[in-house]
Structure formats: structure tokens, C-alpha cells
Amino acid sequence: MVQLFKGFSSKRKPETLQEIERDKVPKHIAVIMDGNGRWARRRGLPRIAGHHAGMKTVKKITMAADELGVEILTLYAFSTENWKRPKDEVDYLMKLPQEFLSLELKELVEKNVRVRMTGWKEGLPDHTLSAVEEAERATSGNTGLILNFALNYGSRKEMIEGMQLMYKDIAAGRLDPDSITENVYDSYLKTSGLPDPDLMIRTSGELRISNFMLWQLAYTELWFTSLYWPEFSKEDFHQAIREYQQRIRRYGGL
Ligand code: IPE
Ligand code: IPE
Ligand code: MG
């Protein structure tokens, strides 16, 4: 296959771990884990088999991020728009956090990983919420990689809610409108306390953001691959980081 353009990799490269410059590893990597359904369809399997296979990639990439000393790995697991999908599929997706954490929580605790969630807890089924909250509790004292699941997350809803919260504080006299800065606005968002992603990876070949961190991605380096999430490997992850390290981030300057 051909390299379509810089930043869109359709070809696997045997990039090795050794080629990564350890002092330039992105602090915050965000991933739109896409293509589970198509991966399954290509194999004649039901879509949920793709979601199940995708869970293994979550484990692999979490471990790869941990090995490299990435500080935050945000994984887009379920969007506010994904509720539109058929009930069976939504039900299955809502069981995955439980399944993933029942298999992996012990190791995450041992590896000093801290689990966190960005999104609306309201609206999640009880069994999903309790699995997430148990993982947050069990890892709350950990100081290593932050494994941040964007679950029931949508950026436009986040920004509207952030504005509503600001207006309420203004009306109550707690916030002076003239004092609103980018940092103040950040503090009203679901991602409050997290730095903006340095690198955003999207699998599946779609070249869009799909309502993911629209504000936070302002100067993030974007990297797309046509690989489906279940087939995305540690080497592919390393390749994305290598390419990130070759980019020049200008932030509008020279
Ligand atoms: C990503 O895979 C997982 C979620 C969005 C929950 P998809 O389910 O979107 O798979 P495709 O894009 O239909 O192949
Ligand atoms: C984005 O994927 C959401 C997640 C990966 C959770 P979608 O599959 O929902 O995005 P669209 O519909 O292709 O834009
Ligand atoms: Mg999709």
C-alpha cells in the first residue's frame, strides 16, 4: 500500500522501540479507537466480536504507553452519540468496562496505573458505573500512567455544559466575566486537570474528530491509520510516536 500523505499511515513499518527518543515521548496521547465493527465484518463475525477483540488492544496499548513513560493515555471508548446504536450493541459496550477491569485491574494496580474517566457518569448503567468507580478507587493512590477512559463523552456537550456552569458562577457572583481566560474555561470542562493531548491517534481510516476534545485538540498533532483498532499493534503505536517526534510544533509561531 502507499503512503497517502504525511500523517496518514496505511503501511506498517517495522519501527522499533529503540528508535523512540525517550526524552520526547508525548505526555498525553489520546486515541479514537475506531473500526471494531468493520474488523469483525471483514471476518464474518458480529460487530460485538470486534469490540471484544478491541479490548485486547486496549491492554496492549496501555502497557506500551506505560513502558514508554507516557503520562496520560486517553482512550475514546463511547461517545455521547454512540447511544444511537442498536440496543444490543450499546448493552454489550456497556459491559466491556466491567469485563476489561475484572481481567486487568489487578495488573493495573501493580503497575501503578491510575484509572480515570472523562465523561458523564449520569446515564451509565449501574454495573458499568460501579466497575469504573471501583477501578478509580483501587488506583486512586497510584502515581504512574493515567489511563483515562473517555466514556459517555462528547465535546460539544462538554463545552455547552462548561458554559452553563460558568454562567451560573457569574450569576452567583463567584466569577468575574473579565477574569475568564483559557485556563479558567479549561477548569469548567470534563478534562479539567489534564493537559491537552500532544498526539491524537485515530484508527480505521476515518479522517475526522467525531466530537472528541474539539477545544483540547487545538494544537495537538494528529495521526491517522487505516488499520482497524483490533489489529492496531504496539509497533504501530511506536510508529505514531516516532512520526510525532519528527513533527515541528509551531503553535502559530515560526
Ligand atoms: C469503535 O468501533 C468503537 C466504538 C465507537 C464504541 P466502531 O464500533 O465504531 O466500529 P466501526 O467504525 O463501525 O467499524
Ligand atoms: C468515534 O467513533 C467514537 C469512539 C471511538 C468511541 P464513531 O465510530 O462513533 O465515529 P463516526 O460515527 O464514524 O464519526
Ligand atoms: Mg466507528
Side-chain angles (χ1 to χ4, degrees):
M1 278 211 252
V2 290
Q3 185 88 9
L4 296 180
F5 58 83
K6 214 169 158 55
F8 186 106
S9 286
S10 54
K11 196 174 94 191
R12 278 170 196 266
K13 277 198 217 148
E15 222 86 44
T16 65
L17 190 55
Q18 285 72 35
E19 289 175 302
I20 291 175
E21 294 173 60
R22 294 304 182 110
D23 57 342
K24 276 169 60 187
V25 169
K27 274 192 169 99
H28 184 179
I29 302 181
V31 186
I32 302 181
M33 311 185 285
D34 197 20
N36 293 349
R38 279 165 284 170
W39 178 89
R41 196 178 57 203
R42 205 170 59 189
R43 283 165 179 70
L45 298 168
R47 289 179 55 84
I48 60 168
H51 297 312
H52 190 263
M55 207 170 57
K56 300 210 169 71
T57 311
V58 169
K59 166 77 188 289
K60 266 190 290 193
I61 300 309
T62 302
M63 293 307 151
D66 183 49
E67 277 164 27
L68 287 171
V70 171
E71 289 177 23
I72 304 145
L73 178 67
T74 294
L75 300 176
Y76 200 9
F78 192 91
S79 76
T80 44
E81 287 70 35
N82 288 146
W83 295 107
K84 291 181 206 159
R85 295 188 179 195
K87 187 177 179 299
D88 284 359
E89 183 169 341
V90 169
D91 287 349
Y92 187 79
L93 286 166
M94 287 297 149
K95 283 190 192 130
L96 281 183
Q98 241 172 315
E99 196 172 335
F100 176 75
L101 292 164
S102 71
L103 291 170
E104 310 299 347
L105 185 55
K106 195 166 164 279
E107 194 177 337
L108 295 175
V109 172
E110 284 165 10
K111 289 233 148 93
N112 198 24
V113 173
R114 179 165 185 180
V115 177
R116 168 180 169 152
M117 179 189 144
T118 293
W120 284 267
K121 289 189 168 175
E122 307 81 24
L124 292 178
D126 289 344
H127 60 91
T128 314
L129 184 58
S130 55
V132 171
E133 289 191 329
E134 191 203 325
E136 285 178 328
R137 250 194 322 272
T139 63
S140 64
N142 288 357
T143 54
L145 172 72
I146 295 175
L147 176 57
N148 180 35
F149 288 101
L151 186 62
N152 194 19
Y153 172 82
S155 189
R156 287 190 168 182
K157 183 174 153 110
E158 175 192 40
M159 288 197 282
I160 298 274
E161 191 188 84
M163 280 186 247
Q164 288 170 333
L165 293 170
M166 279 202 311
Y167 290 143
K168 280 181 192 157
D169 279 351
I170 290 168
R174 289 187 293 263
L175 178 68
D176 170 6
D178 293 330
S179 73
I180 298 171
T181 58
E182 290 185 11
N183 287 340
V184 170
Y185 183 55
D186 268 332
S187 73
Y188 284 89
L189 298 177
K190 288 281 180 198
T191 50
S192 172
L194 295 175
D196 292 341
D198 299 293
L199 170 64
M200 194 283 280
I201 295 172
R202 183 174 188 147
T203 59
S204 92
E206 305 300 351
L207 302 178
R208 56 177 171 255
I209 304 297
S210 301
N211 202 17
F212 182 59
M213 295 200 180
L214 303 177
W215 162 268
Q216 296 87 339
L217 293 177
Y219 273 105
T220 302
E221 294 297 325
L222 309 179
W223 191 86
F224 298 93
T225 173
S226 56
L227 293 167
Y228 297 139
W229 178 247
E231 64 194 358
F232 184 72
S233 70
K234 203 166 148 168
E235 290 69 35
D236 300 314
F237 186 64
H238 291 161
Q239 186 186 335
I241 294 172
R242 279 285 298 139
E243 290 184 19
Y244 163 86
Q245 293 183 331
Q246 283 147 20
R247 307 256 185 104
I248 298 162
R249 301 181 77 182
R250 293 192 194 86
Y251 300 96
L254 293 179

